[in-house]
Each structure stands twice: as C-alpha cells, then as structure tokens.
Amino acid sequence: MDVFRSDRIRNVVLLGHGGAGKTSLVEAMAYLSGITNRLGKVTDGNTVSDYDKEEIKRKFSISTSVVPIQWGKVKINVLDTPGYFDFVGEVEEAVAAADAAIIVVSGKSGVQVGTQKAWEMCEKYNLPRMFFVTEMDVDNVSYRKVVESLTELYGKKIAPIHMPIRENEEFVGYVNIVKQAGRRYIDRGQKKECPVPDYLQEYLEQYHDILMESVAEISEEFMDRYFAGEEFSVAEVSAALKMNISDGSIIPVCMGSTVNVQGVANLLDDICGYFPSPDQKTCAGMNAKTNEIYQANYDFAKAKSAYVFKTIVDPFLGKYSLVKVCSGVIKGDDTLYNATKDSEEKLNKLYVLEGSKPIEVPELHAGDIGAIAKLNTVATGDTLSTKSTPLVFGKNEISVPYTYKRYKTVNKGDDDKVSQALSKMMQEDLTLRVENDSANRQTLIYGIGEQHLDIVVSKLKERYKVDIELSKPKVPFRETIRKKADVEAKYKKQSGGHGQYGHVKMTFEPSGDLEKPYVFEQIVVGGAVPKNYFPAVEKGVQDSVVKGPLAAYPVVGVKAVLYDGSYHPVDSSEMAFKTAAVQAFKKGFMEASPVLLEPIVSMKVMVPDKYTGDVMGDLNKRRGRVLGMNPDPDHKGCTVVEADVPMLSIYGYSTDLRSMTGGSGNFSFEFSRYEQAPSDIQEKEIAARASAEENE
C-alpha cells in the first residue's frame, strides 16, 4: 500500500446499533475500492472485517477491525466497531483513534438505542459525524421517517443531502439535494443524470431550504444574500458544508443499499470531501522530561510519537500494537522510547491491517493508523516517542465492567493455562478483569455483560483449548457479634513424655470497628499466663477470624481480651495456648449473639426519564433503598437514580436493566459498607454454607 501524507488521510469510525449494517457497509466499500473482487456477507462469514472465528460463528462483530480504503488520492482508515453493548470497550478504543464518525442506521429498524448511544459517544469525543441509512433496497423502508426521528432527537442540525428515488417499489436512484438534481444507478457505484420525480419536489424544496439556512449562517454576507433571495453556487454550498460538518453544526444524512453497492461511492466521496484530515485536528501530550504540554497536532515535521489505542493478541496472528501516529513520520527500522514503561523498543516492521491481513509499509505519517508486531512490553494506552522528546498522551477512558461470575477450570491441571490465556485476553480487552477472592475461595471474572462473559468462555475453548465453567459467585458476607461473652478454654493432652497444656480465660465483645477483623488485648495479672504465650493466644484469634464459626465467612469487629488462665511449667507450649485460644474463640463467638453481615453497594442507575418508575420498583424488590433521583448532567432527558442495594440482589442486574429499558439503561456501583442481614437471609446462608462444608 502507498504511503499517505497527513492531509490525504481520513480516520472514520463506523458506529450504530447491532445489526444496522456496519460490517456490510465496510464490505461494500472494500469491494468498490478494489480490495476484494466479490461482495462478502456477514451471514456467509466471509467479510473482510469480521474475521474472528467467534464473529463468523455468531454473525456479528465482537472486536474493532481496521480496513484502509484507498479512494482516489485519499486513504480512509475505516474502523468497524461492534454494535452490541457488551463490547463497548472496543468502540471506545476506536472512537479515541478516529477523527470523524459515520452513524449507520437501519432503514428497516429506524433509530434505535444504539443509534443514540453512538451519538452520545460522538458528543463526548467531539467528533464530526454523518448518518448513513442502509437497506434502502428493502420494500416499505421510509427514509423520510428516519430523517424525522433524527430531527426530533437532534433538532435543526440534521440535514439530508440525498433522497431516494423509487420506481415500482424499487430503489433506483437518488436526488442530490445540494445540486437539486436526480441521479440514476447503473452499475457498481456508477450513475447517470435523470430528472427529479414530481412526487419528490416538495421534499426537495424543504430539505434544500434546511441546507441553505445552515449555509447562510456561515457569515453575515451569506445571510444578507440568503434574505435577498440569491442562490448560492454548488462550490459555495460544499465549502460551507465542509466547515459546518467539521464543527458539528450540520449533521448530514445520506443513504444507500450495501447489498447492491448503491450510495456507497457517494459516501466515500463525502468522507473525502467533508470530513477533516488529522492535520486539521488538535492533539496534545505531556513532555515527560520538561513536564510541559506538547502540541503534537498530527504535524509530520515534529518529533516522532504514536499512541497505542488497541492491542491484538492472537495465537495464530501473534501480537500487534495498533497505533495512531500523533506527530512525525515513523519508519520500520526506528527505535522508539516507551515513556510509560521507561523502556526502548526496536521496531521490526510496520504494517497496516486490512481486517486480519497485515500489509507491510515502509513508514506511517502523522495521523495515520498502523500496526507494529511483537512489542512485548507495550500495552494499550502506552505512548511511543523519541528519547530526546519523551511524550505521554492521556489514556482514553474505557468502561468499567460490573457484571461478574465465579469461574472454575473444568480440568484440574489447566489452572496455569487458563490464567495465561486470560492475561493475554485482558491485554486485548480492557473491559475484562479477573479477581481472586481468597476470603471466599473463589476466582471472579468481570465483563460488561453476560454475553461478553459467554464469548470469553467460548474464545478460551476455541483459541486456547481450555475449558472453564461460570457459576453464581458467593457473596462476601462477614460475621460479627452483638453482645459480650466470657469464656474459658483448656487444652490438655497427656501422652508419653511431654504433654500439652494451655488454659485461657477470655472475653469477646464488639470492637465497634467493622474495618478490622479483630482487636486483641491482654490484662493478665500476676503471671497467670506468662508473657511469652501472649503472641500464641493472639495467633489463635488471628487464625479463627479467617473462617468464622457461624457460616465460615471472615470475621470482623471483634475485641478479644485475655484476662486470666493458667500454665504448666513443663507441658505448656505456644501450640497449646494457640489451640486453647481457638477453642475459646469458637465458644465465645457463638455465645456473643453472632450475626451475619451482608455487603451493601452504592448504586447509580442512569436511565431515560420514562423508565425511572420501573427501575425504582425493581430496586425496591431487590431490598434496595432509593436515596435520590437527579437529572443526568451528561444526558438530556435522563435521570440518575441513587440507591443502596444489598450485593446479594445485584447478580444478573445488567441483563434485567437492559430488558427493562430496551438497552438504554446504564449502571455503576461501588462497595459501601456492611449491614446486618435479615434473619431469613442469615438462616438460608448458614444452611447453604453448612451443606457446602459437608460436600467439600
């Protein structure tokens, strides 16, 4: 592939609801530009951008893939992202590397939750954007309805630049609203002029007026001309559109059929003509040497730097670090410095990835997207630069995973293999997390949703040939006491030679501090228990709090006081006093009104206003206490419901919230505190733990 200067590059991310047709659009672009000589289909599993076995099997995108499309003298790096919400981390990585977005809307399904989420992401990253309505070849698809829905949501910014022409229910051409002229499709992206049908005249005028109003707002001179009834030239309208699209004051809507490769050539022309090249965007990092802000701004004349926005770790492809060059020109034989890790990396070769196919290139200019193989110490979010100008760019925000399950390896000897495979997958997927919960003897795996975790299991089996099974996690209950108990325990054992003797009198009471497992004090007088055995008694308490007597959960908030006892000058030992303390603890704990404490999380649920009633009702069913409702400052028409909810009740919440809100709800939580569990929950847990202990 040729080397492209910064001004001849466009980095475009495709966003939209799952199933809207993003991958099919990339396929049509690849076919039109000559990358492929046949049109692949998602259903046949032969597309350029969905190459992973899981994607082929499930028939939807799971990872972001990059497909560089050469269109005229411009290279368009198309980032094809998954539409399903479980893979939002992939979308966030792609959006951070893009300079503009195409939001793909299914003509059949219309504006969906995923369309709105795509818009919100563009707002967050301040990306110029355009809508592309697919499936115009399908009967009864109403382009006008989609435009109306978008206008209702986003106001006057929405400006259609094409309209479909239909004959006998068939999609045969379009009207160019800028030129006010008809075009008829002939073959593979080709078209010829045709008259505008009478039935479209009214809408053409309406849509043309919307465009002209926007153009008039460019300057006072244009406004005067507009009110004087002057016509703007096509060149003036195009220049104004480019300006308005770049600053987000106009969002064009165009359309086509990816199956018949109609409207795709127009879209590629519009991407090249209207979207900004990287050198028109800003990009700043920190100079690690001087601690000053460094304006890289995709300037090819500045010191070399690149940001690693995504990592691919594949047993067959190997490891690739996907980079966006932020300044300078990076060459295949460069040695670059990783300021994040304070290490140098000698590059071997530079590639651009065409889906899964690496194509070697000699250099990458500022603003371009490429891949570097086998950078062992480099991770997503790292910056590569020169040692003389060591730069660090801010890491992009990635969603936090809140859905979690317990996992176990199916084959006992596979533990190491599984943890190595998961650590590779976590390099690729920053929304995947593994946590060892030693207190409950379980390993937890976190993801964005249940489908995400199912795919992790599937990938482990397919890629790494290891099996794990997921189950409901144990909730980390704690045990404590409510009253004071005074007990004594004697450990006495006589056998040939030395015996064992340890005798303690102790009190156990609430310490008032649930952050600490125990507090140990001794107030022994007169040497009833010699000083050198105090640590052994404390060790007995320390061992006892790991697994409480009530239901084998860790103990918190206990104050243990050793006040008396006795010893034997020959038979007493540290082990004997430790054992006596363990016995005293069990007895004292059970006499001091023991209770189970359950973890409570502080939860924030972000939902459109119309769902707040349902969400609050559901939280009440989960024994949640709603603390307040506030308008969401980041999302108009949405509410943040804040509630304290027992952790026991939040298992499976992501699935329930999605079905309650049609996928538009979001939530986050963090551990807040422990509270006494209701008696029915305590009884159930104690019984469940007892039977589990029997089986172990």
Side-chain angles (χ1 to χ4, degrees), residues 28-45:
M29 289 173 168
Y31 175 65
L32 261 187
S33 65
I35 290 177
T36 58
N37 53 15
R38 48 121 189 91
L39 204 58
K41 287 183 182 172
V42 173
T43 47
D44 295 347

Side-chain angles (χ1 to χ4, degrees), residues 66-346:
V66 187
V67 181
I69 305 279
Q70 199 167 331
W71 192 248
K73 291 182 177 176
V74 176
K75 175 191 180 189
I76 305 167
N77 288 313
V78 180
L79 294 135
D80 180 22
T81 67
Y84 290 102
F85 307 137
D86 281 25
F87 314 108
V88 65
E90 294 284 334
V91 183
E92 287 162 332
E93 287 174 348
V95 167
D99 303 315
I102 304 283
I103 302 177
V104 181
V105 182
S106 154
K108 208 160 47 177
S109 310
V111 174
Q112 293 164 283
V113 172
T115 317
Q116 296 177 53
K117 289 201 171 190
W119 175 278
E120 284 165 15
M121 211 166 275
C122 292
E123 288 285 286
K124 182 180 171 183
Y125 287 89
N126 199 16
L127 283 186
R129 70 213 75 148
M130 210 183 269
F131 285 99
F132 183 80
V133 183
T134 58
E135 300 173 310
M136 294 312 298
D137 55 299
V138 176
D139 280 357
N140 306 324
V141 160
S142 171
Y143 177 69
R144 205 159 59 242
K145 228 182 238 172
V146 175
V147 171
E148 280 166 10
S149 302
L150 291 171
T151 308
E152 210 173 287
L153 279 169
Y154 308 119
K156 282 185 172 178
K157 287 180 175 186
I158 301 298
I161 53 175
H162 296 140
M163 276 190 310
I165 297 176
R166 290 186 183 279
E167 276 175 19
N168 306 323
E169 301 291 307
E170 268 193 43
F171 176 49
V172 295
Y174 67 97
V175 175
N176 180 323
I177 292 165
V178 175
K179 294 178 179 171
Q180 300 186 75
R183 301 281 183 268
R184 193 181 190 88
Y185 294 122
I186 30 183
D187 180 43
R188 192 178 148 157
Q190 302 297 310
K191 57 215 179 219
K192 63 175 185 182
E193 267 192 62
C194 72
V196 176
D198 292 344
Y199 73 92
L200 285 177
Q201 287 294 349
E202 181 197 334
Y203 289 103
L204 174 58
E205 274 177 40
Q206 186 188 325
Y207 291 159
H208 189 258
D209 284 350
I210 293 171
L211 264 185
M212 292 310 108
E213 263 181 57
S214 306
V215 170
E217 284 169 12
I218 284 275
S219 68
E220 280 184 29
E221 184 206 332
F222 271 36
M223 194 61 91
D224 293 343
R225 283 173 59 191
Y226 176 68
F227 284 124
E230 266 186 59
E231 280 289 318
F232 298 118
S233 70
V234 169
E236 282 174 328
V237 174
S238 294
L241 268 178
K242 185 175 171 66
M243 218 160 115
N244 285 350
I245 291 166
S246 286
D247 70 15
S249 55
I250 275 194
I251 313 295
V253 187
C254 44
M255 44 92 231
S257 157
T258 53
V259 177
N260 300 328
V261 201
Q262 294 165 325
V264 180
N266 288 341
L267 180 64
L268 290 166
D269 288 340
D270 292 341
I271 288 171
C272 300
Y274 294 140
F275 278 162
S277 55
D279 58 342
Q280 294 169 303
K281 306 279 281 184
T282 57
C283 163
M286 174 77 76
N287 185 321
K289 202 187 272 181
T290 62
N291 279 347
E292 290 173 351
I293 300 288
Y294 185 89
Q295 298 291 342
N297 294 345
Y298 305 111
D299 184 341
F300 76 95
K302 289 190 173 177
K304 299 170 196 264
S305 70
Y307 177 76
V308 181
F309 71 89
K310 179 175 166 53
T311 304
I312 295 173
V313 185
D314 189 287
F316 309 107
L317 291 174
K319 179 181 172 182
Y320 285 97
S321 302
L322 269 64
V323 296
K324 184 178 189 186
V325 183
C326 300
S327 55
V329 178
I330 288 180
K331 302 195 174 182
D333 56 357
D334 281 340
T335 297
L336 295 176
Y337 175 66
N338 181 351
T340 323
K341 303 261 168 56
D342 188 22
S343 63
E344 280 194 297
E345 293 280 358
K346 172 89 175 86

Side-chain angles (χ1 to χ4, degrees), residues 314-595:
D314 189 287
F316 309 107
L317 291 174
K319 179 181 172 182
Y320 285 97
S321 302
L322 269 64
V323 296
K324 184 178 189 186
V325 183
C326 300
S327 55
V329 178
I330 288 180
K331 302 195 174 182
D333 56 357
D334 281 340
T335 297
L336 295 176
Y337 175 66
N338 181 351
T340 323
K341 303 261 168 56
D342 188 22
S343 63
E344 280 194 297
E345 293 280 358
K346 172 89 175 86
L347 308 192
N348 189 4
K349 287 174 177 172
L350 281 181
Y351 301 94
V352 293
L353 291 182
E354 195 179 89
S356 64
K357 182 177 156 195
I359 300 164
E360 199 179 329
V361 289
E363 56 189 44
L364 290 167
H365 282 241
D368 209 347
I369 285 173
I372 308 167
K374 298 174 185 154
L375 296 180
N376 295 325
T377 62
V378 173
T380 303
D382 287 355
T383 301
L384 299 171
S385 55
T386 61
K387 209 153 190 186
S388 54
T389 314
L391 301 179
V392 177
F393 293 100
K395 295 192 177 193
N396 36 305
E397 270 179 59
I398 298 288
S399 291
V400 178
Y402 289 104
T403 299
Y404 64 102
K405 288 190 174 187
R406 179 187 190 178
Y407 85 83
K408 277 183 176 174
T409 52
V410 173
N411 304 317
K412 281 202 169 152
D414 281 354
D415 287 3
D416 282 352
K417 280 187 194 167
V418 168
S419 62
Q420 282 169 18
L422 281 171
S423 89
K424 283 179 181 171
M425 286 171 76
M426 285 190 287
Q427 286 180 51
E428 263 194 313
D429 182 354
L430 300 186
T431 60
L432 182 65
R433 192 159 62 83
V434 171
E435 202 178 89
N436 185 22
D437 173 14
S438 53
N440 287 292
R441 302 200 293 286
Q442 63 179 353
T443 318
L444 302 174
I445 185 164
Y446 283 77
I448 296 293
E450 302 220 356
Q451 190 180 42
H452 184 195
L453 295 179
D454 287 348
I455 284 172
V456 169
V457 174
S458 209
K459 275 189 179 178
L460 283 169
K461 192 176 179 124
E462 183 60 54
R463 281 189 184 183
Y464 299 100
K465 310 292 180 251
V466 285
D467 274 339
I468 65 168
E469 53 188 24
L470 302 180
S471 58
K472 188 174 178 176
K474 295 178 199 168
V475 171
F477 284 90
R478 295 287 181 263
E479 299 181 14
T480 195
I481 49 177
R482 286 277 172 255
K483 291 182 180 160
K484 185 173 181 177
D486 188 337
V487 292
E488 75 172 303
K490 192 180 282 185
Y491 178 63
K492 192 175 177 185
K493 204 173 182 186
Q494 201 62 50
S495 57
H498 277 311
Q500 294 287 350
Y501 184 88
H503 174 214
V504 293
K505 291 184 179 181
M506 300 179 75
T507 60
F508 296 93
E509 62 187 304
S511 70
D513 183 0
L514 296 180
E515 297 289 311
K516 286 183 188 161
Y518 70 94
V519 176
F520 175 72
E521 288 175 9
Q522 58 74 28
I523 48 170
V524 177
V525 288
V529 176
K531 271 183 185 169
N532 55 319
Y533 293 132
F534 294 168
V537 174
E538 182 172 359
K539 185 76 174 79
V541 174
Q542 193 182 353
D543 286 1
S544 299
V545 296
V546 173
K547 207 172 164 186
L550 189 60
Y553 285 107
V555 169
V556 291
V558 169
K559 181 180 178 183
V561 181
L562 171 67
Y563 70 88
D564 200 1
S566 64
Y567 74 103
H568 188 282
V570 177
D571 290 351
S572 282
S573 67
E574 288 185 359
M575 206 280 284
F577 271 99
K578 181 185 154 187
T579 309
V582 168
Q583 289 172 351
F585 186 92
K586 274 186 185 160
K587 196 172 165 191
F589 192 90
M590 294 310 281
E591 285 177 16
S593 185
V595 290

